[in-house]
Amino acid sequence: MNVERKSGEIVRYEFSTRLNHWIVAISFILLALSGLALFHPALFWLTTLFGGGPWTRILHPFLGLVMVLAFAFLAVKLWRYNVLEPRDRQWLRQIDDVLDNREENLPDVGRYNAGQKLLFYAIVLCLLGLFASGIVMWRAYFAFPVEVIRFASLLHAVCALVLICAIVVHIYAAIWVKGSMRAMTRGTVSPGWAWKHHRAWFREVEGIERK
Amino acid sequence: MALQSLDIIRRSATTLPEPQARGAHTGQVAKLIDVTKCIGCKACQVACMEWNDLRDEIGTCTGHYDNPHDLSDQSWTLMRFAEYENPKGDLEWLIRKDGCMHCADPGCLKACPSPGAIVQYANGIVDFHEENCIGCGYCITGCPFNIPRISKKDHKAYKCTLCSDRVAVGLEPACVKTCPTGAIVFGTKEDMQQHAAERIEDLKSRGFEQAGLYDPEGVGGTHVMYVLHHADQPQLYSGLPEKPKISAMVGLWKGVGKPLGLFAILATAAVGFLHYLRVGRNETDERDEEAARRELEKTP
Ligand code: HEM
Ligand code: SF4
């Protein structure tokens, strides 16, 4: 990715990546709200946000297509930074240090840490499951044998719940690690942030600069 | 549906009891279909169309007597014709009137996500309230008998109501009223079971050793029951399921899945909050910026 420095800041996400991410994020929020509305009676009132039950049922699958497509672009763009490396194992072993903010004890981290990478794959798997099962459940346009639909319904719920929990963690991490949110909104991080949380990536950025 | 229902014992996607002051103190109802008496005249299909004002599209002949060839939003009941060659080599024409079984434990109602789109009355009838239907088709996923159908016009689910509107005012269902051979009878479930027992005795005395009542336990019994000559092989009757029950996958999805799922989400959020309370944010301070600056200065 095109990494350059402007006014001392380090660019982490260019505009197209940020836009892509927020299309995914907004469609995800709408999907979670409309999906949960149909998942549990206690949340059926959420259908009001979408114009009632039938509209919720109509819109949900189309939103799903938007998210899957948008995420596919994002995943292709970010895949190479999420490939697991040997040093990720050490990071995971020291998860206590991670959770207690003792980052100085951790091995140097590249563009993404092991947690972010695992989250990335969790999203990929869940979305594959959601996409396949969602198509099977989409009665307005597809007809599958009822046994397949039953399995798909269960799978869809399981994948959705795992994804929602994963994204809760993702959002919390973005709040927890101060300075991250700016990476996805304005696109830049401070050198100190990069040095502290992603030192190997920070040095790589310098290396690119030196040439 | 009735204008006001005070006799609802179960309602889809609802966590609290519904108005149920009125009970079924004289017994729940049942329709008994004596397959051994049916001559396949389809008068019941016609009566159903007439009473409910339904008109299916004129279809095409598919080479057998089933007409139309499947249930639809406009055909809530259907005679299914099966030709069966018994071990003696004789042909038996097994004609079954298909339609909603009005399960005591209805899979459609269990699967339905929309509050009040499916209800069960105190008398046992399972009814769809289409004004609350969102058209998702989960009832079809939940039904062990492949009964509900979604209309292509309004995207609502339809099925036999057991003439809940007629029954509510003391009439028998339209199909029962019209059947010329008395193969369909209607009354309290207990009476129908007794009547069936007499019929089965009669059938056994005529050599139908395996005659019996179809009132499957797996769905808690049904409020539409069959007298079958071959109760040991219900699948002979155009695939009537032998041991119908709500699929285990639907059970997980709509059973433990629901509370467990919500709990998992709330627990994840709670863990995040506790983490925030205990260790707080991971901040970058001036020392980190200083360290970064030093490294940057080292590089030419
Ligand atoms: C409103 C909710 C969300 C917020 C506040 C949020 C915030 C962020 C932030 C701050 C980053 C940058 C992290 C870094 O650069 O280290 C990020 C990255 C990312 N986000 Fe989100 N996000 C949200 C929803 C989502 C959703 C719904 C998805 C996908 C289902 C998603 C997928 C990603 C991915 C794949 C990355 C790149 C990290 C990697 O590849 O490991 N985000 N997000
Ligand atoms: S037969 Fe199907 S539609 Fe009828 S009550 Fe049972 S589950 Fe519901």
Side-chain angles (χ1 to χ4, degrees), chain B residues 80-131:
Chain B
R80 294 196 186 269
F81 296 74
E83 289 166 24
Y84 165 58
E85 208 181 298
N86 66 24
K88 274 185 268 165
D90 295 333
L91 182 72
E92 287 182 30
W93 214 12
L94 306 177
I95 308 163
R96 177 170 67 89
K97 172 178 153 44
D98 196 9
C100 175
M101 300 295 287
H102 295 272
C103 310
D105 184 14
C108 55
L109 192 151
K110 184 170 186 119
C112 177
S114 183
I118 305 183
V119 299
Q120 186 177 43
Y121 298 118
N123 64 12
I125 294 179
V126 178
D127 220 354
F128 285 9
H129 285 187
E130 277 80 9
E131 76 273 27

Side-chain angles (χ1 to χ4, degrees), chain A residues 38-39 41 44 53 57 99-101 103 139 149-151 165 172 175-176 178 190 192-193 195-197 203 206, chain B residues 13 113 115 134 137 141 143 247 249 257-258 268 272 275-276 278-284 288-289 295 299:
Chain A
L38 303 188
F39 176 70
F44 190 79
R57 183 264 304 164
L99 291 175
D100 288 343
N101 293 346
E103 262 178 298
R139 287 192 181 264
I149 297 179
R150 285 174 184 152
F151 176 70
C165 290
Y172 177 66
I175 299 168
W176 169 33
K178 199 175 170 194
S190 75
W193 184 94
W195 180 83
K196 182 166 188 190
H197 305 303
R203 291 186 179 141
E206 289 176 57
Chain B
I134 64 168
T141 307
C143 175
S247 150
M249 278 176 291
K258 286 197 288 192
T268 310
H275 180 267
Y276 181 77
R278 207 174 74 78
V279 292
R281 295 181 77 175
N282 184 345
E283 297 181 5
T284 310
D288 300 312
E289 299 298 348
E295 280 206 23
T299 59

Side-chain angles (χ1 to χ4, degrees), chain B residues 32 192 269:
Chain B
L32 182 69
M192 293 303 103

